[in-house]
Amino acid sequence: MGFLKGLGGIVLLFGVINLMLWGGQSLYYRKDTQRIKELDAQLTKEKASLGEVKDRIVQQERMLDGMLNQLEQYKRVQNISRYNSSVNEYNRLVDIYRMEVASHNAQVVVFNQKIDDVNALIQRAGTRWYLIPIPLGGVSGKARPPIK
């Protein structure tokens, strides 16, 4: 019976030490954990915004494809005056489209850099040392893959 009490005492001691280690690390990384949650909310909003911009770009692509088909039809039926009056508008819209795509791509690069920064913070703040590994959890945020 004394052996079981001794073993139970050692297990309890290791459990208390693990809890102290985990709790101390949680306190130490508390600001980082809060920052991760804030950045996660910010990135979620930015991702939604990027999705809206991408949807607008897809709509512009469809419109430009329709205009291009119309221009080709004017060319086929030899309606040159109609073709000439429409081609300038088409070229203007293509330039706007290219600027929006370039802007979107730049925003995606910045967003992906933020993702990398958050992932590094998650890796650092989410790492916990234990005397004996006991699954007590870690940072609730998960690493995010970059947008491609």
Side-chain angles (χ1 to χ4, degrees):
M1 193 65 150
F3 172 74
L4 288 178
K5 282 185 178 181
L7 184 61
I10 290 173
V11 168
L12 182 62
L13 178 65
F14 276 93
V16 168
I17 292 172
N18 273 334
L19 286 175
M20 288 178 9
L21 281 171
W22 183 81
Q25 292 172 79
S26 291
L27 287 174
Y28 182 77
Y29 290 118
R30 184 178 61 216
K31 288 182 183 177
D32 287 342
T33 303
Q34 183 61 34
R35 181 75 178 135
I36 290 168
K37 290 177 183 176
E38 291 168 1
L39 290 173
D40 185 50
Q42 180 184 354
L43 288 172
T44 300
K45 289 177 186 175
E46 286 184 31
K47 186 174 182 179
S49 175
L50 285 172
E52 291 171 6
V53 172
K54 187 174 182 178
D55 290 344
R56 248 192 352 256
I57 288 172
V58 168
Q59 288 175 351
Q60 287 177 338
E61 284 176 358
R62 289 183 188 137
M63 184 184 68
L64 288 171
D65 287 343
M67 286 183 76
L68 183 61
N69 289 337
Q70 187 67 43
L71 287 171
E72 289 173 356
Q73 186 178 17
Y74 291 151
K75 199 173 180 181
R76 259 194 317 272
V77 296
Q78 307 263 331
N79 191 347
I80 301 303
S81 63
R82 189 86 165 157
Y83 176 86
N84 287 338
S85 66
S86 299
V87 77
N88 289 335
E89 177 66 14
Y90 175 79
N91 288 337
R92 185 184 71 78
L93 292 174
V94 166
D95 290 340
I96 292 171
Y97 168 79
R98 287 179 180 159
M99 286 189 310
E100 285 212 27
V101 168
S103 172
H104 178 262
N105 290 342
Q107 290 172 353
V108 167
V109 168
V110 170
F111 180 81
N112 286 341
Q113 181 58 48
K114 288 180 182 179
I115 294 271
D116 292 342
D117 294 344
V118 169
N119 285 343
L121 187 59
I122 288 171
Q123 185 67 29
R124 187 184 67 199
T127 301
R128 297 290 188 263
W129 292 92
Y130 300 98
L131 194 56
I132 296 177
I134 298 175
L136 294 175
V139 177
S140 62
K142 294 181 180 151
R144 297 169 157 259
I147 293 179
K148 296 184 183 193

